Amino acid sequence: MGWSISHGGTPRGTYSYTSVDTLLDRLKKAASWGQRRTLKPILSRRSGEAFFSVEPRAAADIGATLIDLAPFLERDDDWQGMATQIGQSALRAAAANESWVWS
């Protein structure tokens, strides 16, 4: 089981709950206080939690923050790629003025 993220956030079907939890923990360590506040709608979620969505304006801010933080994550397990993929999906949702959905 895992998260399916709208607007191309999970191109291979889903990201496992464990991998998303690990990514979010790594993002917390790399992020400033303000960036953590921006990411709060996704950082406050944990594996198996029910479906949630993020409004377009917040999705735009989250997407930009994820892309900004990606270079500070380790490459060896492709955390950078995962953060970038999820960030780009948030930006696509915002550009379409649609909610960004995690289920």
Side-chain angles (χ1 to χ4, degrees), residues 68-103:
D68 287 347
L69 287 172
F72 299 102
L73 302 174
E74 295 177 33
R75 281 183 197 241
D76 57 331
D77 291 323
D78 201 25
W79 298 113
Q80 290 178 355
M82 186 177 176
T84 300
Q85 181 71 41
I86 295 171
Q88 289 171 340
S89 73
L91 294 176
R92 282 191 291 275
N97 199 32
E98 296 173 353
S99 293
W100 185 43
V101 179
W102 290 51
S103 57

Side-chain angles (χ1 to χ4, degrees), residues 2-7 9-10 13-15 17 20 51-52 101-103:
W3 288 111
S4 177
I5 304 168
S6 71
H7 298 85
T10 46
T14 62
Y15 283 125
Y17 292 136
V20 172
F51 154 100
F52 71 95
V101 179
W102 290 51
S103 57

